[in-house]
Structure formats: C-alpha cells, structure tokens
Amino acid sequence: MVFGIDPHKQTHTAVAVDELGRRKAERTVAARREGHLQLLVWAGKLTADRVWAVEDVRHVAGNLVRDLLAAGEKVIPVPPKMMAAERRGGREHGKSDPIDALAIARLALRERADLPLAVLDEHTRPIRLLVDHRDALIKERTRVINRFRWMLHDLAPDLAPARRTLAHSATRVRLAAQLAALPESTSRRIACAQLTHIDLLSTQANAVEAELKALVEPLATGLLTVTGVSVLTAAKLLGEIGDIRRFRTTAAFARHNGTAPIPVWSGKTEVYRLNRAGNRQLNAALHRIALTQSRCHPGARQLLERRRQTCHDTTKGGLRVLKRHLSDVVYRVMIADIEARDIAPTHTHQAVA
C-alpha cells in the first residue's frame, strides 16, 4: 500500500491507496512530531507492507521525512514538477490537500521503480543547509549591489566600478575611501550603508564557504579531482544527492538530475532535446562543470568537436551530450568516494592491531 502525503507548515494530509490506485483511507495530522507518530500508528493498523510518498518541498517536509526514516519506513520523495503534471491529468478536478495527496500516492505507485528512496544521511544534510544559506547570502548581496550601483550612478557616476568587481574586498575598500571624500549628503550616507551591507554579506558568504570546504574535502576526495568541480560545486552535488547509492544505475541518476535526453522524433530521423525536468539544482551544477570542461578539458573538447562534425550538433546539443556523460562520471566517482570511506576505517584498525 502506498501512502501519499501533501505536506504543509501546519498540517500533513495522507491518503492511502492500494496496488490498483484506489483510495482506501485518509488522515490529516498536525505538522509536528506528535502528528508524525499518529500517522505511523494509523498506517500500522491498515497494513504492514507500506511505502510513503512525500512531495519533495525541502524544508516543509524535512522533519516528516526524517521522522519516517528514523522509524524504519520506506520514503519516496516525489518531485514537484512530476506531481503538478499528475494533478493536471487526474480524474478528480480541483485543488485541495486530499486531491494532492491522492495524486502523489498514485504517481509514486506508477513510477516507484524509477523514483529513488530517501536515505537518512546526516553527513550531507549540514552541507545542503550551508549551501542553501550561502546561496541566499549571495542573492541578497546581488540585490544590494544593484541598488548600490544605481545610488552610485546618481551620486558620482565616475566612481562606478567594473562589473562583477564588488565581490572583491579591494574594490570595496577603494570605494569606501572615495565615498568618504565626497561632501556630506543623504545619498552618500545611504551609499556608505549599502557598501557596508555588501561587505558584511561577503564576509558571511566567505565564512560559509570556508566551513563548507572543511566538510566537503573529506567526503569528496575523488569528486574534487574532476575538472570543473570546485568545493562549492562538490558541496551542491553532495547536498542535493545525499547518498548516491540510492540510485540503482547511472541511468536512474541521469533521469533524476535531468540530463537524460528526451526523444522528439518520428520516422527515420532521430532527434533529442534538452530535458527540463529533474532536479534543476543538480542540472545547473553539471552545466557549470560542462562549461568549464568545454573550455579547458581536452577530452571534452574532442567530444564536442566529434559531435559537431559527425552528428552536426549545435553548441547546446553538444553540451547536452557532455552533461549526460558527466552525469555518469559524477555517479562513478561518488560511488568510489563512498567505498573508499567505508574501507578506510578497516585499514586503520588493522594497522593499529
């Protein structure tokens, strides 16, 4: 039996369906640990063979998924994009928590062979939280920089720095000195406050990056050797993937990260297009790696050139092929990193003995 859950801040609505997708029961509980326990007790009375399908909405469903995994339950995270398409194609029209929970359950029932199970990985969860925090800091800094540039243009256009240089501390120090030399005015005071805010956000982002480096390097020794994978990219991959072993094959991982090509052809002409589904954070990380390798990795450049000459691929089409190849590379390297970590303690123990 599959239990679909539509998670919200205040309540979680669960709908149970049998193997034919027929609704069997429904329950709404508070989005607290006590409510999660009530769900487990309720589901235990219905069946012993069960799988939970939860819409993967990050922090909203985080506590629920961790409590279910800690209780030994099987949990399938359902991508929101897939859920939206399932709801549109459902026979029951409208928008409500029970309708959404039913759509989640039926989707998981139909696709559970291809959807990976959730894994409780406390090594990568702090990395994911820190990556999200740094992304928020960078976005806020970008917004402040944009406002600061307009204020600087109105105050003293000649002081405008080159693009993408306000992230550098030397540029901010120079601008602070130049603003201090201007006559006192409200515009100058606001510009100085904005520059101070930019400096604070940059300091916080750099501190988070240093913390990520200490967490990522022991977990991604092989991953960091791949051309184009920096500490931040490795942190994004680790945080979004968790335990790579939850994907059965490289093809399952490619489908999850959106690098599996989509066929759009009929007849004798085979054509594929970019896949816009899957985890977009993972896809963006693989895209950054592909762009770097397309510039400075001989093997990647040869692949793109060969595809251009033999298959007449466009630049976008060549990158699609390269990203699909890199998905396999990342999968194998991360598997090797986990196996190396599992073997290391045994070797240490034998050496001491």
Side-chain angles (χ1 to χ4, degrees), residues 4-8 11-15 26 28 95-104:
I5 301 181
D6 183 34
H8 289 280
T11 61
H12 297 323
T13 299
V15 171
E26 177 185 322
T28 298
K95 175 72 172 70
S96 68
D97 292 350
I99 292 175
D100 288 349
L102 179 62
I104 292 169

Side-chain angles (χ1 to χ4, degrees), residues 125-187:
R125 182 168 181 265
I127 294 176
R128 180 171 179 169
L129 293 174
L130 286 171
V131 169
D132 288 346
H133 179 48
R134 184 184 179 277
D135 287 346
L137 290 173
I138 296 301
K139 288 179 182 178
E140 177 61 23
R141 185 180 70 178
T142 301
R143 285 192 288 268
V144 179
I145 285 175
N146 290 336
R147 294 197 298 268
F148 173 73
R149 282 187 172 277
W150 280 114
M151 182 62 68
L152 199 61
H153 178 76
D154 180 63
L155 179 65
D158 295 337
L159 299 184
R163 292 181 60 192
R164 300 183 180 180
T165 58
L166 278 169
H168 304 149
S169 59
T171 302
R172 297 194 299 271
V173 170
R174 176 176 56 80
L175 274 174
Q178 291 174 333
L179 287 173
L182 295 177
E184 172 62 30
S185 65
T186 302
S187 298

Side-chain angles (χ1 to χ4, degrees), residues 31 33 36 58-68 125:
R33 182 153 296 177
H36 304 162
R58 282 193 178 276
H59 302 295
V60 177
N63 285 327
L64 171 64
V65 172
R66 286 191 294 273
D67 285 346
L68 291 175
R125 182 168 181 265

Side-chain angles (χ1 to χ4, degrees), residues 1 15 17 20-21 35 42-43 47 82 86 140 169 173 175 218-219 230 244 265 268 294 317 332-333 343 349:
M1 187 173 288
V15 171
V17 300
L20 297 178
W42 167 70
T47 179
M82 293 180 66
E86 176 70 16
E140 177 61 23
S169 59
V173 170
L175 274 174
L219 300 178
S230 63
I244 190 68
W265 54 270
K268 296 182 179 180
S294 67
R332 297 190 184 100
V333 170
I343 294 173
H349 177 72

